[in-house]
DNA sequence: TCCAACGTTGAATCAGCTA
DNA sequence: GTAGCTGATTCAACGTTGG
């Protein structure tokens, strides 16, 4: 949504494409402040092999275990810092990032994110409903992966579709632990030999929840470790623009083919539940101006303990208090704040009616005739 | 088991006591290679700012204690490295450690553990069955904490009671995500004023599972951030020796009293009761996320009188009505309530199929491997 | 004594706009 | 930048009160 036009004008973003190359180089070639969301599934560094990403190209001759271990972590950390910095540069000021990992790498990644200035919003556990068991019985079944959701900086006004997520969860606030199956069956992409095309293909359900919750239609979503393109596939279905970066030709090929066959859902289905916050603000004074409430008319608190009078300027006056509907409600309740819209009622035909009903009438009129 | 006699001979360990002082100093005063397991619940460095109120205007009693305040990440990292090093020195070669934390600190702690030479065995998610909600609707409910289980070094022959844990879990391999309630009710210790004695008391069930799985009777368990002594209490019940370190006199006092009243279980009572699990709740949104139903797909009422469309967030939209499967069903029927699962059908191969069939599929997957 | 209604609480990085 | 005002927002357990 919103202010993505400026950057696009200055430098046409390569939308809905898969870019070939090292993700750090490619991200550095993109304009700063141009991307709404980044989803990153970086190498997990499972065995700390030297073949990962090695900026200095030096080959480590392991002589001593401790030293080798240290240098390997260091190499991984350098790589992590580099791609996180490149990613942060291209994020819009209100942009956000998701990174997924396992215990092998996620602690280093999370610390690097905090050090880079990202502001962690939640860590989210993907609890796999069908994980691989621990065959040797030497440890617990490794049944989850960890995702870190962070904004570009502490002050970022990040996107969070609270109501949509609540709807996805049958009316109960979504928690930080998500139960979803791993990617297998028909969804799991195979290569020409019939074996899996990518070792760690993520399920579309995971990306669905991420994109529905933290992006809006039309947003630009970038994935620096695109793989077989799950991020792009879900983004396309959901009417978001994607940018994929992948240096392995085999993966790009599989992803291209996959994306070609994806169709966007129709617009109506992409509408999600919104919160009251998103609705237009209606000043209380408007109810008086429009004659929906008369100056001098009495309002009653929900709990029937308090009575006040409406004044011509849309303020309320009671015993020893006057001010806005919110201020007077808070003062009478001795509360730090009060939502006057849901606190006050008026009388019609002998019945108590919440004033919020009048606001809803005005809002309904506004949507009938916008502007 | 275990060769703990040697160290004890040279320096009598202060077993089953609470030691007063800074945990780093105290640990440094203990002999090296002398402890079987360490459980650590260090300060989380929450960095809370203003007050937080619930929607009913009551104020959240936040963790604002001085012991949780650090001036910067750097300060926190120095503290973390120091206590982790002191802890590692006193661990036996085959010893192990558990550290618990939240996203505020756990990534820094995990990275520091790897840097210090600990070998991570699992990260374990404590999924709280009754977490505090996110009152402002700005993020996901922070419904879990993360624990890191690590051995002193890669080559350590750590203790893992696979079979005991499996029987704790009704015969199924224990996973890395544990569902346990937070500590409240009678278990929550109060001070003389009737308020909570410690802001972050951990549930005994958590320590029970940790000690059963990774220690043996007679092992020495050390807790450098003892607080009100949950680790000691469970250790005593389970016939392990404990060493607590706590610098706050108030906490020590509460813990002393608590521990005095604890009795060791006889072996028979170590059996845990297994309760039948209720059928897991499956949100309708999950059918959409998983692609079992597409956004835009049409659903039909059982009586064929109504038709609606599925949206990306798991809500339905029809003529003049939108909401959850239950809400829309009730609205269209003019009924006070409606079970959407049995009310709606979708079409497959020209036949009407109840959506409840899809829920049953998901439940079947879940019960293949319950936690 | 029991049940329903109501109140309390928990490791929390919890607002956005206008002047 | 910041001061001020509007006004949006909660789930599961446990405990207490009142009939």
């Amino acid at each position: 949504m919103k202010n993505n036009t400026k950057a696009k004008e200055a430098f046409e973003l390569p939308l809905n494409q898969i870019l070939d190359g090292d993700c750090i180089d490619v991200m550095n070639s993109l304009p700063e402040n141009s991307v709404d969301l980044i989803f990153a599934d970086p190498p997990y560094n499972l065995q700390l092999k030297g073949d990962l990403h090695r900026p200095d190209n030096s080959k480590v001759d392991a002589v001593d275990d401790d030293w080798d271990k240290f240098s390997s972590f260091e190499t991984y950390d350098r790589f992590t810092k580099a791609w996180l910095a490149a990613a942060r540069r291209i994020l819009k000021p209100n942009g956000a990032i998701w990174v997924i990992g396992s215990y092998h790498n996620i602690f280093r990644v999370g610390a690097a994110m905090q050090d880079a200035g990202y502001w962690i919003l939640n860590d989210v556990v993907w609890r796999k409903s069908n994980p691989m068991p621990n065959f040797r019985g030497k440890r617990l079944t490794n049944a989850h992966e960890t995702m870190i959701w962070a904004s570009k900086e502490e002050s970022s006004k990040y996107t969070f579709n609270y109501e949509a997520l609540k709807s996805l969860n049958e009316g109960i606030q979504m928690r930080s632990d998500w139960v979803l199956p791993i990617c297998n069956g028909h969804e799991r992409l195979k290569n020409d030999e019939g074996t899996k095309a990518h070792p760690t293909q993520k399920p579309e359900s995971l990306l669905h929840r991420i994109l529905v919750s933290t992006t809006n239609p039309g947003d630009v979503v970038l994935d620096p470790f695109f793989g077989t393109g799950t991020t792009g596939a879900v983004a396309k279905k959901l009417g978001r623009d994607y940018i994929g970066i992948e240096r392995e030709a085999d993966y790009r090929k599989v992803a291209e083919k996959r994306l070609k066959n994806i169709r966007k859902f129709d617009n109506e289905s992409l509408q999600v539940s919104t919160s009251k916050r998103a609705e237009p603000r209606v000043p209380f004074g408007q109810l008086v101006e429009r004659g929906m409430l008369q100056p001098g008319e009495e309002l009653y608190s929900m709990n029937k303990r308090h009575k006040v009078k409406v004044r011509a300027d849309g303020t309320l006056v009671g015993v020893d208090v006057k001010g806005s509907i919110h201020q007077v409600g808070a003062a009478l309740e001795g509360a730090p704040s009060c939502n006057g819209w849901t606190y006050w009622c008026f009388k019609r035909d002998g019945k108590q009616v919440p004033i919020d009903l009048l606001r809803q009438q005005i809002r309904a009129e506004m949507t009938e005739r916008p502007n």
Side-chain angles (χ1 to χ4, degrees), chain A:
Chain A
M1 217 95 260
K2 56 256 143 156
N3 46 10
N4 50 11
T5 49
K6 207 170 173 183
K8 280 190 196 172
E9 280 165 25
F11 178 107
E12 197 65 30
L13 278 177
L15 294 181
N16 307 313
Q17 299 172 32
I18 307 175
L19 309 178
D20 172 15
D22 175 82
C23 74
I24 298 171
D25 298 337
V26 175
M27 286 195 282
N28 284 337
S29 75
L30 296 174
E32 60 175 359
N33 304 323
S34 59
V35 164
D36 294 288
L37 190 88
I38 291 173
F39 176 84
D41 183 10
Y44 285 12
N45 193 25
L46 289 181
Q47 296 303 323
L48 300 174
K49 283 184 194 135
D51 63 359
L52 199 48
H53 282 257
R54 191 164 252 188
D56 57 357
N57 250 341
S58 64
K59 187 179 177 189
V60 178
D61 265 338
V63 261
D64 171 65
D65 262 5
D66 282 341
W67 183 86
D68 178 48
K69 212 180 297 168
F70 181 72
S71 100
S72 296
F73 276 133
E74 266 211 327
T75 308
Y76 188 78
D77 290 346
R78 261 204 305 280
F79 162 70
T80 300
K81 278 186 215 306
W83 77 257
L84 280 172
R88 192 157 179 269
R89 191 187 67 86
I90 60 173
L91 268 186
K92 291 182 188 172
N94 292 333
I97 189 171
W98 287 82
V99 187
I100 184 168
S102 68
Y103 67 82
H104 305 88
N105 70 325
I106 198 65
F107 303 115
R108 318 199 71 80
V109 170
M113 288 173 72
Q114 292 180 308
D115 291 340
Y118 289 101
W119 188 247
I120 298 183
L121 300 167
N122 275 119
D123 61 333
V124 178
V125 172
W126 168 29
R127 183 195 187 260
K128 302 176 186 181
S129 54
N130 49 351
M132 176 145 36
N134 186 296
F135 293 114
R136 297 175 58 195
K138 304 308 262 185
R139 302 183 184 189
L140 300 161
T141 304
N142 197 0
H144 74 277
E145 293 187 28
T146 301
M147 298 182 290
I148 300 175
W149 172 39
S151 59
K152 180 167 182 172
E153 52 197 344
E154 184 178 354
S155 60
S156 299
K157 297 190 204 319
Y158 55 91
T159 298
F160 182 54
N161 295 318
Y162 175 74
E163 289 293 339
L165 219 45
K166 198 170 163 178
S167 300
L168 266 178
N169 197 33
E170 289 211 315
I172 293 164
Q173 195 172 79
M174 185 72 81
R175 300 165 40 116
S176 56
D177 52 331
W178 297 355
V179 181
L180 293 170
I182 60 176
C183 180
N184 55 15
H186 291 299
E187 192 186 325
R188 190 77 193 230
L189 298 170
K190 313 284 189 209
N191 56 24
D192 298 337
E193 293 85 51
T195 59
K196 57 191 175 192
H198 192 280
T200 65
Q201 186 183 340
K202 295 293 175 287
E204 295 196 3
S205 58
L206 193 68
L207 272 295
H208 182 103
R209 193 173 288 187
I210 286 173
L211 295 186
V212 164
S213 62
T214 60
T215 63
N216 292 307
D219 278 4
V220 176
V221 178
L222 182 139
D223 185 336
F225 308 98
F226 202 58
T228 51
T230 305
T231 304
V234 178
K236 186 170 176 185
K237 284 183 184 175
L238 291 175
R240 278 72 166 163
D241 288 320
Y242 66 86
I243 300 173
I245 306 174
E246 178 53 57
R247 56 177 195 176
E248 302 286 338
D250 288 349
Y251 297 156
R252 285 201 306 277
K253 190 177 145 198
V254 174
E256 294 279 12
K257 183 177 165 194
R258 173 187 197 177
L259 286 160
K260 200 168 291 173
N261 294 319
I262 301 280
R263 291 290 164 264
K264 176 176 172 296
F265 297 138
D266 65 83
N267 284 326
E268 193 186 19
S269 316
L270 296 183
Q271 298 299 316
V272 297
S273 315
T274 55
S275 72
K276 283 190 193 163
R277 268 191 281 258
E279 294 185 51
R281 201 177 73 87
V282 176
F284 176 72
Q286 215 170 104
L287 276 56
V288 184
E289 286 175 340
R290 295 188 172 204
M292 300 169 103
L293 291 173
Q294 303 294 324
E297 191 164 351
E298 283 174 337
L299 299 188
Y300 305 85
S301 66
M302 266 315 202
N303 56 24
K304 298 179 182 171
R305 277 203 276 268
H306 302 288
K307 189 174 78 174
V308 292
K309 260 190 186 174
V310 176
R311 301 199 294 183
D313 63 352
T315 57
L316 305 183
V317 57
V319 183
D320 290 337
V321 287
K322 55 187 169 188
S324 71
I325 52 171
H326 315 295
Q327 290 167 333
V328 172
L332 291 173
E333 293 296 323
S337 71
C338 171
N339 183 346
W341 289 108
T342 54
Y343 181 75
W344 295 108
C345 298
F346 63 102
K347 276 203 177 147
R348 277 291 182 278
D349 307 326
K351 278 199 289 192
Q352 299 238 4
V353 186
I355 60 171
D356 202 32
L357 212 70
L358 302 174
R359 181 170 66 162
Q360 286 167 31
Q361 283 180 24
I362 295 182
R363 280 182 173 159
E365 286 174 29
M366 292 169 81
T367 45
E368 274 169 33
R369 297 183 192 284
N371 311 333

